[in-house]
Amino acid sequence: MTKTATETPEKLVAEYQQTGSPLTFRAIYDYLQGYNELTYVTFRQILPESMLDRGELRAFVDDSIIQSLKSYNDAESQLGFLGHFLLTVSQTAEAAKRCLTMNVCALSDIHIYKTANHLQESAVKLWQKQWRMTADDLLQFKAEVQSVMAVYDCYSKSSPLHQRFAKLLAWESTEFLGSPAGISVDQQELQEARESFREFYVNKQLEEAITAFQLGQLSAFSSIMNHRELVEERKSMQEHLSDPLFQCYEHEPLTAGEIDAVLDASLLDALETWQKGQRVADSFSTFVLCKWQVIGYQKETGGKLKNTLANCMCKMGLPADTLETFSKSSKKASAYYTVLAIDLLTALETADFMESLQDYSQYLPNRVEPAAWRAFRSYCKANALNVAHFPQV
């Protein structure tokens, strides 16, 4: 004789609420299966025909069981557990119908959303959450999912490898729905696809935030600051500048306040000068090291940086104050100033100043340095100044 046959459902529910026993849950589940016809009649009375053919009724039933177990109170309920369950079924159906009218996201789309955000909850649970959202929450969730799907579409078109990975992710998003795409799947490759897409998505988010920041949306700064890659890079550079061995190797140590100021200013410069294709963390670390070297040079020479750079301008056949006036022409130019300064100071230490400058043409194209030289060159050309001796970057 089964547990269900010897005990009332109310006692089973009370036991399950206290213990969470899987065996007790199974007994309640079996009990409710005996009322399947009544359950499905309730759904058919509320839901449109289009939803009855989508294979989602089973999920609606399972969600109703879970919700009714969570909310049932024997002392307050006048319906008994079965009545409470059927009422929950009605509420679930009404919520699902409301979601349908708002054209919410498909389960497969939500799976891609879960993958992109590295969420622990299953796609099914996220999907079911929609039925208990307010209209405003639904619209926000829908917008989030659609945003991820737009990035997914961009990801699938970005390279042949990403196209292959996108197909694997699409297969995974539909496989558990019972409609596999019919392709063989290597689990290791599938994991690589997940990680690849997550990295692409996070970087895309960062790009969009930086673009918004450059357009004057200062609210985007907090999401940039909290980006994992930048948080890790900032911590790394902070430790680097604070390391006594590193400090002693070049010049006198910076104070904690000076280090924070360098890090803050470097991040703003990296954001101001960022261009599509650049890795902002690399730009950030470049600015940090350049500013650190400039501070060191100023300390060691008693503030002679300006005079030294004026001398470099003369060597290039330019007016002595060219770099100084360039730095004041825009925020971007001001950011580039320290990068150009370090390149010039480095070239001064070599036997052939002009030949050393030409070596900067070997920089990778998505680095900060060539962008800085291109901006300086354009400024000089626009002001009818000699650019014959500029690095060809």
Side-chain angles (χ1 to χ4, degrees):
M1 185 174 289
T2 66
K3 199 171 188 180
T4 308
T6 59
E7 297 185 30
T8 65
E10 288 74 23
K11 288 184 178 179
L12 289 174
V13 172
E15 180 181 330
Y16 176 75
Q17 289 174 338
Q18 291 175 359
T19 67
S21 166
L23 291 176
T24 306
F25 177 83
R26 186 71 231 182
I28 298 169
Y29 190 89
D30 290 343
Y31 166 80
L32 292 175
Q33 290 299 297
Y35 297 90
N36 260 351
E37 185 58 35
L38 188 55
T39 300
Y40 284 110
V41 164
T42 304
F43 279 123
R44 292 189 187 101
Q45 288 174 341
I46 298 172
L47 295 175
E49 189 68 27
S50 60
M51 294 190 77
L52 300 176
D53 296 332
R54 294 167 66 184
E56 297 171 352
L57 284 181
R58 185 69 262 164
F60 293 152
V61 173
D62 291 346
D63 185 71
S64 298
I65 293 174
I66 293 170
Q67 294 308 312
S68 59
L69 285 172
K70 288 180 178 178
S71 59
Y72 181 71
N73 186 318
D74 189 35
E76 297 178 2
S77 176
Q78 299 177 354
L79 302 174
F81 177 67
L82 177 60
H84 179 74
F85 167 70
L86 293 175
L87 178 61
T88 304
V89 166
S90 299
Q91 293 169 342
T92 300
E94 292 288 357
K97 183 179 178 181
R98 182 179 69 249
C99 288
L100 180 67
T101 60
M102 296 184 69
N103 194 26
V104 294
C105 307
L107 180 52
S108 56
D109 291 352
I110 293 174
H111 182 82
I112 299 293
Y113 168 84
K114 163 189 159 57
T115 301
N117 289 286
H118 210 167
L119 301 177
Q120 296 301 312
E121 281 188 293
S122 71
V124 172
K125 285 186 177 179
L126 289 169
W127 179 58
Q128 291 171 339
K129 273 187 174 181
Q130 295 179 107
W131 310 336
R132 291 176 294 281
M133 289 181 181
T134 65
D136 288 343
D137 290 339
L138 273 171
L139 288 174
Q140 181 180 343
F141 183 64
K142 179 181 176 181
E144 289 175 3
V145 174
Q146 288 179 332
S147 176
V148 170
M149 291 307 295
V151 176
Y152 171 78
D153 185 54
C154 179
Y155 172 79
S156 68
K157 297 174 182 176
S158 59
S159 73
L161 177 61
H162 288 172
Q163 186 178 39
R164 164 67 182 169
F165 281 166
K167 287 181 179 178
L168 290 176
L169 294 172
W171 172 86
E172 184 184 32
S173 73
T174 57
E175 187 274 338
F176 63 88
L177 297 176
S179 53
I183 58 176
S184 59
V185 175
D186 179 274
Q187 289 300 313
Q188 183 175 348
E189 188 178 22
L190 181 59
Q191 181 59 27
E192 290 177 9
R194 296 188 194 109
E195 293 171 359
S196 172
F197 177 55
R198 278 197 290 265
E199 181 179 2
F200 184 91
Y201 174 67
V202 169
N203 289 337
K204 190 75 172 176
Q205 279 188 313
L206 180 60
E207 286 184 7
E208 291 174 354
I210 295 174
T211 300
F213 180 77
Q214 290 179 336
L215 292 173
Q217 297 180 29
L218 301 183
S219 59
F221 187 70
S222 60
S223 63
I224 296 170
M225 279 282 290
N226 294 324
H227 186 271
R228 177 182 55 80
E229 191 175 63
L230 282 174
V231 169
E232 292 175 357
E233 190 66 26
R234 183 185 177 98
K235 182 181 179 182
S236 174
M237 296 308 299
Q238 189 171 35
E239 292 173 349
H240 194 52
L241 296 184
S242 303
D243 187 344
L245 293 177
F246 174 74
Q247 295 280 16
C248 293
Y249 177 72
E250 293 287 348
H251 53 71
E252 64 179 275
L254 300 180
T255 66
E258 286 176 322
I259 291 174
D260 284 339
V262 166
L263 294 173
D264 292 341
S266 296
L267 178 57
L268 289 173
D269 285 352
L271 298 180
E272 186 66 46
T273 59
W274 178 83
Q275 301 176 54
K276 192 172 180 62
Q278 284 183 337
R279 183 172 174 266
V280 70
D282 288 341
S283 300
F284 168 65
S285 60
T286 297
F287 279 113
V288 168
L289 294 177
C290 287
K291 289 182 183 300
W292 170 74
Q293 288 176 292
V294 163
I295 291 172
Y297 186 86
Q298 290 278 53
K299 287 183 176 181
E300 291 169 2
T301 62
K304 294 183 178 179
L305 176 66
K306 186 175 179 179
N307 293 337
T308 304
L309 295 177
N311 180 40
C312 291
M313 293 296 99
C314 294
K315 285 178 175 288
M316 294 178 67
L318 296 168
D321 64 347
T322 304
L323 186 59
E324 189 73 19
T325 55
F326 166 73
S327 71
K328 297 174 182 177
S329 63
S330 69
K331 287 184 178 179
K332 185 175 290 189
S334 177
Y336 283 144
Y337 176 81
T338 51
V339 174
L340 296 172
I342 294 305
D343 280 358
L344 291 165
L345 292 175
T346 303
L348 271 180
E349 296 175 355
T350 63
D352 191 324
F353 174 78
M354 296 309 300
E355 183 178 335
S356 294
L357 284 186
Q358 291 301 329
D359 286 343
Y360 295 132
S361 63
Q362 304 303 312
Y363 278 129
L364 294 174
N366 61 345
R367 294 270 302 173
V368 172
E369 293 90 337
W373 280 106
R374 284 194 295 271
F376 187 36
R377 182 190 182 96
S378 296
Y379 171 83
C380 290
K381 287 182 71 175
N383 288 275
L385 298 175
N386 177 28
V387 294
H389 303 301
F390 269 69
Q392 298 300 310
V393 293

